[in-house]
Amino acid sequence: MPTYAPAPVRFVSGSGAHLVDEQGRDYLDFISGIAVTSLGHAHPAVAEALCTQARTLLHVSNLYGNALAEEVAALIDRLIGDGSPAGGKVFFANSGAEANECAIKLARRFGGPGRHGVVSAYGSFHGRTLATLHATGQPAKHEPFAPLPPGFTHVALGDIDALARAADPTRVAAVLLEVIQGEGGVLPAPPGFLAEVRALCDERGLLLAIDEIQTGLGRTGRWFAFQEAGILPDIVTIAKALGNGVPVGACWARAEVAQAFRPGDHGSTFGGQPLAMAAARATLETMVALDAPRLAAAAGERLAAGLARIAGVRAVRGAGLLLGAVLAEGLDARAAVAAALELGLLVNCPVPGVIRLAPPLIVSPDECDLALDILATALERVGAPQASRP
C-alpha cells in the first residue's frame, strides 16, 4: 500500500553506524531507523541472542508463564528507577503505538467510569492506531480518519495554565506527554514544566504517563528523558531501541496503577514472545555494560557543538543523540536531507525547517565529524553561504 514515500535507495546490509546499498555504496546512518538501532546495525550480542533463541523456542503464547519476559521486565524496572528497582509492572507489546494504546486503556481503567479523558500536547506523536492517533497533537493527521475515539484534549507543550484548565479531575484520567517531541521537530518541554505537571497530577489524582518511545534507553544522555526532571511518572511507554531493530514495545506502570487491569482487559498474541525478549535482554544488558547514556551524552555534545558551527544552522535543540538542527529561513530542509543522502549521510526532516539526527549511541567521534562535513556540504548545495565548520 502507498503508505510510505521511500527514498530511492535500498539497503542490503549494515554494521555499526554504516549501511550498504544494493550497489555496494556505504552510507553513514544518522537516523538509526528513527532511533531504533541504538547499538548500531548487526550488533553481535543481539545477533547471537536471536540465533540462539530461534534454535531454542520461538513462541508459546501468553497462556503460560514466561521467565525471559520477567527478566526483561525487571531490567526495565531497574532502568526506570535509574539503577534501583522502581517497583512497577510491565506489559509487552510489539510496537510503540501498542505500548501507548496499553497506557491509554490502563489510565481509563484506573480512572473508572466517567474519567476517561486524556490530555496531551500539540505537536506530539503517540502512534497511528485510532486512539494513539487522536492522542497525537497534530490535527492535520486526524482529519482523514474522523470520527476518532473521543476523550482526547490537547494543549500547548509547556503551558501549565492551559493544562490545568483542561485537566478536569471529574472526567480526565491522565496526562500523556513526551519530554522531547521527536516527530514534532525535536522540541523539548521547557525546563521545570514536567515537575509542574507532576505536582498538578498529584494534586488532582491524575496519572502522569510519559511517552519515551523515541527518547528512552539512553538516547538523551539519561536512561529516560524524564529522569532529568527528577520525577517518576505513573506510566512509561518504551519501544524503538528496546530490541535494537526487533519489534518490541513495553508499557511500564507503578504497581498500584498496573493492578487496575484484570485478566482479559488487554493482551497481545506476540507480545513478550521469546525471540523479542531475547533481543531485548541482549540489548539492555549491552547498553548497561556500555553505559549507553554516557556514550550518548559525550557524542551528543560533540555533534551539537559541530552543528552549531555549520552555516545555515540557526539553532540546535534536543539532548544527547536526539538533535534537531533548525535551519535558517529560506533553506529547504527536505532538499538538504536529499542532498545529504546523495553524499552518503542518512538524516531526516520531521517538520519543515528542521533536520533530525539520531545516530546509534555507539557512534565514534570520527563518524560524527564526517557526518558534520557531509551535512555542511549538503546545506551549501541547497543555498547556505558556505560550510564554516573547522
Side-chain angles (χ1 to χ4, degrees):
M1 296 184 187
T3 54
Y4 302 102
V9 60
R10 296 180 184 179
F11 297 111
V12 295
S13 66
S15 177
H18 295 260
L19 282 167
V20 177
D21 72 9
E22 292 173 320
Q23 284 70 47
R25 186 185 177 199
D26 186 89
Y27 296 76
L28 263 181
D29 184 1
F30 266 53
I31 195 63
S32 303
I34 312 182
V36 168
T37 50
S38 285
L39 292 176
H41 296 284
H43 191 280
V46 180
E48 179 60 30
L50 285 167
C51 292
T52 300
Q53 191 62 47
R55 288 191 293 264
T56 306
L57 183 67
L58 281 181
H59 184 78
V60 293
S61 89
N62 289 306
L63 294 172
Y64 311 101
N66 187 332
L68 191 50
E70 292 168 5
E71 187 178 344
V72 176
L75 286 168
I76 290 172
D77 188 63
R78 181 172 286 276
L79 295 180
I80 287 194
D82 206 7
S84 301
K89 303 291 184 183
V90 176
F91 174 85
F92 287 108
N94 307 292
S95 68
E98 287 183 54
N100 278 336
E101 192 83 19
C102 175
I104 292 165
K105 286 180 66 178
L106 179 60
R108 288 186 170 193
R109 196 75 163 92
F110 186 83
R115 292 185 65 208
H116 62 274
V118 173
V119 182
S120 61
Y122 286 117
S124 62
F125 183 85
H126 299 293
R128 295 184 188 275
T129 65
L130 284 178
T132 59
L133 182 64
H134 204 184
T136 292
Q138 300 184 45
K141 294 186 185 298
H142 302 163
E143 292 166 4
F145 305 103
L148 294 172
F152 296 92
T153 307
H154 304 96
V155 299
L157 182 67
D159 189 339
I160 190 64
D161 294 331
L163 181 59
R165 289 192 294 274
D168 176 356
T170 65
R171 63 173 187 81
V172 170
V175 175
L176 172 62
L177 295 172
E178 296 166 288
V179 182
I180 300 175
Q181 294 183 339
E183 300 302 316
V186 193
L187 190 63
F193 177 63
L194 283 184
E196 292 179 315
V197 178
R198 176 71 276 180
L200 179 72
C201 289
D202 289 343
E203 176 189 321
R204 300 190 180 182
L206 309 179
L207 299 180
L208 174 56
I210 298 293
D211 179 337
E212 292 266 6
I213 285 163
Q214 189 161 151
T215 51
L217 300 177
R219 179 153 293 280
T220 65
R222 303 293 298 257
W223 282 113
F224 292 94
F226 71 77
Q227 291 165 341
E228 188 67 24
I231 64 160
L232 180 63
D234 301 298
I235 300 173
V236 179
T237 53
I238 313 161
K240 292 187 179 294
L242 184 52
N244 203 53
V246 174
V248 53
C251 178
W252 173 94
R254 288 194 299 107
E256 176 195 356
V257 177
Q259 293 306 315
F261 268 162
R262 296 287 183 269
D265 278 352
H266 197 54
S268 168
T269 295
F270 295 108
Q273 55 104 288
L275 194 68
M277 293 297 97
R281 181 175 63 180
T283 299
L284 295 179
E285 288 180 343
T286 302
M287 284 183 164
V288 170
L290 292 174
D291 192 356
R294 179 186 59 80
L295 295 181
E301 185 176 350
R302 185 185 190 93
L303 197 55
L307 286 170
R309 292 194 292 269
I310 292 179
V313 174
R314 179 166 56 84
V316 180
R317 60 195 188 202
L321 285 175
L322 179 59
L323 296 173
V326 183
L327 302 189
E329 190 172 350
L331 289 179
D332 185 335
R334 293 192 185 281
V337 168
L341 180 64
E342 290 179 2
L343 293 165
L345 173 68
L346 274 64
V347 289
N348 87 331
C349 169
V351 298
V354 176
I355 293 176
R356 174 172 50 182
L357 296 93
L361 310 190
I362 47 84
V363 68
S364 72
D366 286 347
E367 289 165 338
C368 286
D369 292 346
L370 178 56
L372 291 166
D373 285 340
I374 294 174
L375 192 57
T377 303
L379 286 172
E380 280 186 67
R381 288 190 177 183
V382 299
Q386 63 178 32
S388 60
R389 196 182 72 80

